[in-house]
């Protein structure tokens, strides 16, 4: 069982930055892949970025070059640095962990970007 707690969401103007954090209840060194997903009203949940235990990352085309995912194994925390935010980035952002074949999700944190 893995519990994930997100923080760092909020309201920001277009062009601004936010950093999301995801704290895990277990050592993330043992978690193969962690990631961030987002869901806007009326839309399906979509992948934003993932990072595996070897540090390899994957980004959605829409955030490539603007967002950076990282993990701090000592703090059992994954981060999402979001720069040059756009109104279309507005969504609830969810942390995900793939651990021993199971998907775990956080409760989500809201990001709202005003134009």
């Amino acid at each position: 069982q893995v519990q994930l707690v997100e923080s760092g969401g909020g309201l920001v103007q277009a062009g601004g930055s936010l950093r999301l954090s995801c704290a895990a209840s277990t050592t993330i060194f043992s978690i193969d892949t962690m990631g961030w997903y987002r869901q806007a009203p009326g839309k399906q949940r979509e992948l934003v970025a993932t990072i595996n235990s070897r540090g390899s990352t994957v980004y959605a085309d829409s955030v490539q070059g603007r967002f950076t995912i990282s993990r701090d194994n000592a703090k059992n925390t994954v981060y999402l640095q979001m720069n040059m935010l756009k109104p279309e980035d507005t969504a609830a952002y969810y942390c995900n962990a793939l651990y021993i074949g199971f998907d775990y999700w956080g409760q989500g944190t809201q990001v709202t970007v005003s134009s």
Side-chain angles (χ1 to χ4, degrees):
Q1 190 89 6
V2 178
Q3 293 181 328
L4 304 170
V5 179
E6 302 101 331
S7 61
L11 174 64
V12 64
Q13 288 188 331
S17 298
L18 283 174
R19 188 176 80 156
L20 305 183
S21 299
C22 172
S25 61
T26 188
T27 174
I28 66 171
F29 183 79
S30 61
I31 299 176
D32 181 57
T33 302
M34 298 191 71
W36 289 94
Y37 291 72
R38 67 186 181 187
Q39 187 167 19
K43 295 187 177 181
Q44 289 190 331
R45 189 170 297 188
E46 63 177 4
L47 180 146
V48 176
T50 62
I51 184 167
N52 67 17
S53 58
R54 296 168 295 284
S56 296
T57 58
V58 173
Y59 293 95
D61 289 343
S62 59
V63 306
Q64 182 76 45
R66 299 188 297 122
F67 291 10
T68 302
I69 188 170
S70 62
R71 59 195 287 169
D72 186 334
N73 291 341
K75 295 183 178 180
N76 297 326
T77 300
V78 174
Y79 302 98
L80 184 69
Q81 178 66 45
M82 306 185 294
N83 298 327
M84 296 181 288
L85 283 160
K86 304 175 181 180
E88 51 264 43
D89 294 318
T90 295
Y93 283 70
Y94 297 90
C95 182
N96 171 269
L98 177 61
Y99 181 58
I100 314 180
F102 289 92
D103 269 317
Y104 295 90
W105 295 93
Q107 82 289 350
T109 185
Q110 180 67 34
V111 172
T112 302
V113 184
S114 63
S115 57

